[in-house]
Amino acid sequence: MAVSIGQLGKWKEQRRPIVALTAWDYAISSILDAAGIDIILVGDSLAMVALGYPNTLPITLDAMIHHASAVSRGVKQALMVCDLPFLTYQESLSQAIHSAGRILKEAGVQGVKLEGGYPLIVETISHLTTIGIPVMGHIGLTPQSVHRLGYRQQGKSPEEANRLIREALQLEGAGVFALVLEHIPSDLAEEITSKLSIPTIGIGAGPFCDGQVLVTADLLGLTPKQPPFATPYANLRDTITLAVNDFAGDVREGKFNPDKT
Ligand code: KIV
């Protein structure tokens, strides 16, 4: 059965961990979906892992819709969520409605993710959820704020931790259906998770969240450099390099015969 937003809340009640991974094209999403991944996120990290940008800021709404459309063609079961890229929701409420609406209508995903928990974003999210646009929140390390925050762990001081707890509660009040907690201390993630009735999805936030998400390119060892909290489960860079070198060697040495299968 296809994963619904309502199902996520039930899984939290049942303490059934939620598994989320990112995808940026049809090939990857069809593999993740067939493997039974619960949430497939078209994260704007694709700007870095698929398009080679130095951070997530340059990606456009059109590019996200292009990739999310390809991802959705490979998905039959998973819940699909797509990031709203930098400066496609912060300017005004009407900009946020327009951007989120385009993603839902054109890419066929079920929800959008917005970064941040400051008052303006909480207000925007409250409007989006009121008009029927499902929203996933994202606090802690928010990569769209890289020039202000860097990629440092967030929530280390008591003041920062209290702010993040406050933001999590306000985002829940604004109607988010789940909340990504990125790169915050494990005990803080545990405290936030215990205070919310919506599921938390951690990345670099310890084992006590209701679910975990990873950037699939990091999981597969496709990225040349991974964040410290990413856990590679394969080394596809080496596997691909080996296959490419074998093929090139066979062609150069006259050993490659396309008719021989
Ligand atoms: O863009 C992304 O891939 C994300 C995940 C790291 C949660 O936001």
Side-chain angles (χ1 to χ4, degrees), residues 65-85:
I65 290 172
H66 176 76
H67 283 269
S69 303
V71 168
S72 76
R73 287 191 283 275
V75 175
K76 294 194 179 78
Q77 306 291 337
L79 183 80
M80 272 189 63
V81 180
C82 180
D83 269 342
L84 281 190

Side-chain angles (χ1 to χ4, degrees), residues 227-238:
F229 50 79
T231 314
Y233 278 69
N235 188 343
L236 288 200
R237 264 185 103 76
D238 282 0

Side-chain angles (χ1 to χ4, degrees), residues 187-209:
D187 56 346
L188 174 59
E190 185 177 18
E191 188 175 348
I192 292 175
T193 300
S194 73
K195 284 185 186 305
L196 300 184
S197 55
I198 52 154
T200 57
I201 312 288
I203 173 164
F208 304 115
C209 297

Side-chain angles (χ1 to χ4, degrees), residues 220-233:
L220 298 178
L222 271 175
T223 39
K225 194 168 160 250
Q226 286 133 13
F229 50 79
T231 314
Y233 278 69

Side-chain angles (χ1 to χ4, degrees), residues 22 41 43-46 83 113 115 138 180 182 203 213 215:
T22 69
L41 170 68
D44 59 0
S45 57
L46 77 82
D83 269 342
K113 177 160 79 59
E115 290 185 9
H138 182 162
V180 170
E182 181 164 357
I203 173 164
V213 61
V215 173

Side-chain angles (χ1 to χ4, degrees), residues 167-194:
E167 289 182 354
L169 289 167
Q170 281 164 354
L171 286 166
E172 177 173 57
V176 299
F177 65 84
L179 181 62
V180 170
L181 302 176
E182 181 164 357
H183 207 12
I184 63 171
S186 170
D187 56 346
L188 174 59
E190 185 177 18
E191 188 175 348
I192 292 175
T193 300
S194 73

